[in-house]
């Protein structure tokens, strides 16, 4: 969208400007009807579910048929006959925490069991942690190995009957290990370990036997509580951020002004004047509401008509007050208005009239250059005719009240754009509040990108509920 | 360099979320008529039982703001029985407001008596001792407004106590204590800080609402 185009009152530039605005809302309407991208991504990541029998060190260990336990079958002689096995899939990163556990069924002769994370292509003869790009918590000495043969003192040893867990906290970028439900220790994940990591277990002396749990059974460690604590920590960082007083007041007022909620605004202004101290949004806070006070009453009136489904009345008002908005009949805003009229006719069951209206007003939008936007919506609208109970069909979303809001918002933006003193097109599209929200979402996504795409995605609805 | 939201065109903000954010602000700050109007204009569902309590909260807030702490305390006990017992810090702050009122009206003997009866019992705990000392010190000055503790007499201080009281009442009724709006601004600030730390001078500057609104 070209925001450097300015409205100098010239009809030509207004047309192209208005076309841009209308298309923006049309696109938004189309996006609003499909599943949000964030939700989809969380379904898509694969997770470890069982042990990988293909690349494990087959000569030294045996994996049970259910692929959830291993036994060391050889007699270990040196440091290169470790029985190592990775999970079938790498650790999923688009979440807050990943965690898995092992249960030591039998510590065998020497108890040289290890749990940790290794990268693809790990030498499957060595304990996790003994090679670069791996880490491991070893049961025989309780040490943590991080890529070298010499480990650091870390925690207690573990043996038969113990449940040991390994996890990655993507928020704090740390590894952590647990023993019998309690955290043993944590250490930070270097950026080099940002590659694909696999949960890994290893056994190294005769008769060692280990069972693994990738979440199919309840964990010994309270993972939910850990996640809750982590979220709380993040929450506290946010809560401790100081705020200038009355900062929200301006945003709320600007929102009401932008969308033309005149009655609510009057009520709000009345109430604010009588508070002690009277709240004043000085220019110092950055609010410039000249642009959005424009045509407040007209915008309110048109919005109310659209909200009540009185599309004809709304269009008449627009023809009287702002003919330039509706004069180009093939514009996006006219399209949205005609579609909505069609939908309203269907809503009251006036099917014949709907068809007539569709033929006269909607047909002309088929086959236009912006066909992907117009065609799809026309087809969806027309499809409603096929159902006895259209609201229950997959196109039922068109009959929701929120569709009227989309049309109302578009018209609102168009009216704002007729303001000769308008400085910036962006100002018509969304109120400050929405811009703030988009900024926040964008920042969170940026941040996640900076951390190699790891961690939970930011989902506004989740935060608000 | 602002993080350009247009790079993330697929971010659509749900109307419902926005309405909820605005509503959360209005409810928190007891704008009853505005809430009703907003509901009528947008067709939102009414927030459950907020409205009655809103009037009561508003009155409590205003009494606290005026410095009429005793009335605020009385109404709070009516609305939320054990609230002040469970929030000793808040209770202390409210009582201290009354103390300050007495000092400002130059009723020093009354102030002293009140303090001895109501405030000094808090002194059993170390954390209140310093606060107590500050308040009692006000008695030493002929013109407490000119003392080093003059901020305790200020509107800002009363507003701070009134805000805490408002949040405590909301928490007591299991409602959110911070408006969604405040949370969002805080969150944006924190995330931008992180980005700033990550990228150094290549990254976006720390978040300032003022600058953002001008951009």
């Amino acid at each position: 969208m070209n925001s450097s185009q300015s409205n100098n009152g010239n009809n030509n530039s207004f047309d192209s400007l208005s076309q841009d605005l209308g298309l923006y809302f049309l696109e938004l309407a189309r996006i609003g009807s499909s599943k949000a991208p964030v939700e989809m991504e969380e379904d898509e990541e694969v997770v470890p579910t069982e042990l990988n029998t293909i690349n494990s060190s087959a000569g030294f260990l045996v994996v049970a048929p259910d692929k959830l336990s291993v036994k060391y079958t050889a007699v270990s002689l040196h440091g290169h006959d470790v029985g190592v096995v990775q999970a079938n899939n790498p650790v999923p990163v688009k979440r807050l925490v990943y965690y898995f556990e092992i249960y030591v069924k039998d510590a065998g002769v020497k108890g040289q069991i290890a749990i940790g994370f290794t990268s693809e292509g790990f030498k499957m003869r060595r304990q996790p942690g003994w090679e670069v790009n791996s880490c491991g918590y070893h049961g025989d000495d309780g040490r943590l190995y991080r890529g070298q043969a010499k480990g650091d003192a870390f925690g207690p040893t573990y043996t038969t009957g113990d449940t040991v867990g390994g996890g990655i906290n993507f928020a704090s970028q740390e590894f952590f290990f647990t023993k019998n439900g309690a955290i043993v220790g944590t250490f930070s994940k270097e950026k080099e370990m940002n590659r694909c990591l696999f949960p890994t277990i290893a056994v190294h002396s005769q008769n060692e036997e280990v069972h693994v749990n990738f979440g199919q059974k309840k964990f010994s460690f309270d993972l939910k509580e850990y996640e809750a604590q982590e979220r709380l920590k993040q929450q506290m960082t946010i809560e401790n951020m100081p705020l200038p007083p009355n900062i929200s007041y301006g945003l709320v007022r600007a929102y009401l002004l932008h969308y033309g909620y005149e009655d609510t605004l009057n009520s709000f202004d009345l109430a604010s004047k009588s508070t002690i101290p009277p709240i004043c949004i000085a220019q110092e806070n950055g609010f410039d509401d000249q642009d959005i006070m424009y045509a407040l009453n007209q915008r309110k009136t048109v919005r109310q008509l659209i909200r009540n489904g009185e599309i004809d009345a709304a269009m008449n008002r627009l023809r009287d007050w702002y003919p330039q908005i509706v004069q180009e009949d093939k514009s996006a805003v006219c399209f949205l208005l005609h579609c909505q009229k069609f939908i309203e006719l269907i809503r009251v069951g006036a099917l014949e009239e709907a068809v007539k209206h569709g033929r006269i007003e909607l047909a002309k939008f088929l086959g236009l250059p912006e066909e992907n936007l117009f065609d799809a919506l026309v087809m969806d609208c027309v499809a409603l005719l096929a159902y006895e109970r259209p609201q229950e069909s997959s196109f039922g979303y068109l009959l929701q009240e929120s569709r009227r809001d989309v049309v109302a918002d578009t018209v609102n933006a168009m009216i704002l754009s007729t303001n000769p003193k308008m400085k910036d097109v962006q100002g018509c599209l969304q109120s400050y509040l929405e811009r703030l929200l988009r900024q926040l979402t964008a920042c969170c996504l940026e941040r996640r990108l900076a951390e190699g795409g790891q961690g939970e995605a930011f989902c506004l609805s989740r935060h608000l509920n | 360099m602002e993080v350009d939201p247009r790079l993330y065109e697929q971010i659509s903000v749900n109307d419902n979320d926005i309405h909820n954010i605005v509503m959360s602000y209005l409810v928190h700050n007891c704008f009853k008529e505005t809430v009703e109007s907003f509901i009528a204009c947008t067709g939102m569902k009414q927030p459950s039982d907020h409205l009655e309590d809103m009037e009561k909260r508003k009155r409590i807030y205003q009494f606290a703001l005026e410095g009429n702490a005793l009335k605020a305390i009385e109404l709070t006990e009516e609305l939320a029985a054990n609230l002040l017992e469970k929030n000793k810090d808040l209770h202390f702050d409210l009582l201290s407001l009354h103390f300050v009122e007495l000092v400002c009206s130059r009723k020093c003997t009354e102030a002293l008596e009140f303090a001895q009866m109501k405030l000094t019992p808090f002194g059993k705990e170390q954390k209140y001792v310093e606060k107590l000392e500050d308040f009692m010190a006000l008695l030493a000055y002929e013109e407490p407004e000119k003392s080093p503790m003059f901020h305790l007499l200020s509107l800002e201080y009363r507003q701070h106590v009134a805000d805490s009281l408002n949040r405590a009442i909301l928490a007591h009724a299991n409602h959110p204590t911070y408006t969604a709006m405040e949370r969002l601004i805080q969150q944006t600030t924190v995330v931008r800080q992180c980005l700033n730390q990550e990228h150094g001078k290549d990254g976006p500057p720390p978040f300032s609402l003022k600058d953002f609104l001008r951009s």
Side-chain angles (χ1 to χ4, degrees), chain A residues 383-402:
Chain A
L384 287 171
L385 288 167
Y387 297 86
E388 247 192 55
R389 282 205 284 269
Q391 58 272 34
E392 291 168 25
S393 72
S394 52
F395 306 103
Y397 72 94
L398 289 169
L399 286 162
Q400 284 173 1
E401 290 218 354
S402 51

Side-chain angles (χ1 to χ4, degrees), chain A residues 1 3 24 28 31-32 37 191 235 237-243 246-249 251-252 255-256 261 263-264 267-268 271-272 274-277 279 283-287 307 405-406 409 426 430 432-447 449-451 458 460-461 463-465, chain B residues 1-15 17-22 25-26 29 31-35 37-44 58 61-62 65-66 155 159 178-195 198-199 204 207 209-210 212-215:
Chain A
M1 241 201 69
S3 66
Y24 172 85
L28 219 54
I31 293 171
K191 280 239 152 67
Q235 203 49 27
T237 321
I238 293 171
E239 280 180 29
N240 291 333
M241 187 59 49
L243 285 169
N246 296 324
I247 194 173
S248 318
Y249 173 82
L251 282 170
V252 172
Y255 174 81
L256 295 173
Y261 291 111
D263 295 333
T264 310
S267 191
F268 189 58
S272 330
S274 62
T275 60
I276 313 154
I279 312 172
Q283 294 290 77
E284 61 187 58
N285 256 353
F287 288 101
R307 268 204 62 77
D405 285 332
V406 172
D409 287 348
Q426 277 290 326
Q430 297 182 322
Y432 288 122
L433 179 52
E434 281 136 323
R435 282 196 267 165
L436 177 62
L437 283 169
R438 289 184 84 187
Q439 170 72 198
L440 174 58
T441 312
C443 286
C444 287
L445 289 173
E446 267 292 312
R447 178 159 169 256
L449 219 62
E451 307 215 346
F458 176 71
L460 181 65
S461 315
H463 269 261
L464 293 175
N465 298 321
Chain B
M1 174 213 120
E2 277 289 319
V3 174
D4 190 353
R6 283 173 292 195
L7 290 176
Y8 298 95
E9 282 288 297
Q10 75 272 23
I11 302 170
S12 62
V13 181
N14 188 316
D15 257 0
D17 287 340
I18 297 277
H19 290 163
N20 283 332
I21 294 174
V22 174
Y25 172 84
L26 294 174
N29 292 290
F31 287 103
K32 177 157 168 273
E33 288 80 18
T34 313
V35 166
S37 174
F38 192 56
I39 291 177
C41 290
T42 58
M44 276 182 85
K58 185 167 165 185
Y61 183 87
Q62 299 213 308
L65 205 54
E66 288 165 16
L155 179 57
Q159 193 161 20
Y178 279 85
T179 63
M181 186 95 72
E182 285 166 317
R183 281 277 174 267
L184 287 169
I185 298 174
Q186 285 172 321
Q187 184 144 13
T188 310
T189 313
V190 168
V191 178
R192 281 280 288 262
Q193 245 176 23
C194 287
L195 279 177
E198 281 275 336
H199 296 240
F207 182 72
L209 186 62
K210 203 161 55 164
F212 173 74
L213 294 170
R214 291 217 185 101
S215 68

Side-chain angles (χ1 to χ4, degrees), chain A residues 46-50 52 86-92 98 196-199 214:
Chain A
V46 288
V47 294
T49 52
E50 57 188 25
N52 182 343
Q86 291 176 326
N88 59 340
N89 289 316
V91 170
Y98 175 76
C196 226
L197 289 175
F198 289 82
F214 289 117

Side-chain angles (χ1 to χ4, degrees), chain B residues 92 125-136:
Chain B
F92 180 85
E125 282 177 65
Q126 186 54 32
K127 61 174 168 164
Y128 294 114
V129 170
E130 235 187 79
K131 282 193 189 182
L132 260 175
E133 287 172 1
D134 281 350
F135 280 105
M136 299 309 271

Side-chain angles (χ1 to χ4, degrees), chain A residues 146-338:
Chain A
R146 287 207 269 177
Q148 299 170 332
K150 180 167 171 350
D152 306 316
F154 182 66
T157 59
Y158 53 89
T159 182
T160 311
D162 285 330
T163 302
V164 185
I168 308 183
N169 179 336
F170 291 107
S172 59
Q173 289 288 302
E174 287 181 332
F175 288 105
F176 65 97
F177 289 99
T178 68
K179 178 182 172 188
N180 295 331
I183 293 199
V184 165
T186 67
F187 57 101
S188 80
K189 181 153 80 71
E190 312 297 321
K191 280 239 152 67
E192 306 90 67
M193 287 281 265
N194 264 356
R195 53 192 62 215
C196 226
L197 289 175
F198 289 82
T200 308
I201 59 181
V203 286
H204 197 203
S205 73
Q206 226 173 347
N207 296 328
E208 280 178 23
E209 186 180 340
V210 166
H211 296 188
V212 69
N213 176 5
F214 289 117
Q216 296 97 334
K217 296 194 300 219
K218 188 158 140 54
F219 289 129
S220 177
F221 173 66
D222 194 343
L223 183 64
K224 292 245 173 308
E225 178 58 29
Y226 180 78
E227 283 176 333
Q229 286 298 323
E230 189 59 43
R231 289 206 179 92
L232 198 62
K233 249 190 265 165
Q234 289 181 326
Q235 203 49 27
M236 297 300 349
T237 321
I238 293 171
E239 280 180 29
N240 291 333
M241 187 59 49
L243 285 169
N246 296 324
I247 194 173
S248 318
Y249 173 82
L251 282 170
V252 172
R253 190 162 191 280
Y255 174 81
L256 295 173
L257 258 180
H258 183 102
Y259 285 101
Y261 291 111
E262 193 186 21
D263 295 333
T264 310
L265 182 65
N266 289 338
S267 191
F268 189 58
D269 280 344
L270 196 61
S272 330
K273 281 191 181 52
S274 62
T275 60
I276 313 154
I279 312 172
C280 50
I281 29 159
Q283 294 290 77
E284 61 187 58
N285 256 353
F287 288 101
D288 181 8
D289 42 0
Q290 288 316 309
D291 281 358
I292 43 182
M293 289 215 59
Y294 175 76
L296 182 59
N297 189 270
Q298 290 91 325
R299 287 186 287 122
K300 173 197 93 162
T301 310
V302 176
R303 176 178 289 276
Q304 267 175 354
L305 288 169
I306 297 177
R307 268 204 62 77
N308 292 334
E310 298 172 43
I311 308 295
D312 283 333
M315 289 194 77
N316 285 336
R317 291 282 200 286
L318 286 175
R319 281 191 201 102
D320 287 340
W321 293 335
Y322 303 102
Q324 67 270 52
I325 295 179
V326 288
Q327 95 193 2
E328 169 53 56
D329 206 35
K330 291 215 184 79
S331 64
V333 63
C334 285
F335 175 66
L336 282 172
L337 283 163
H338 288 311

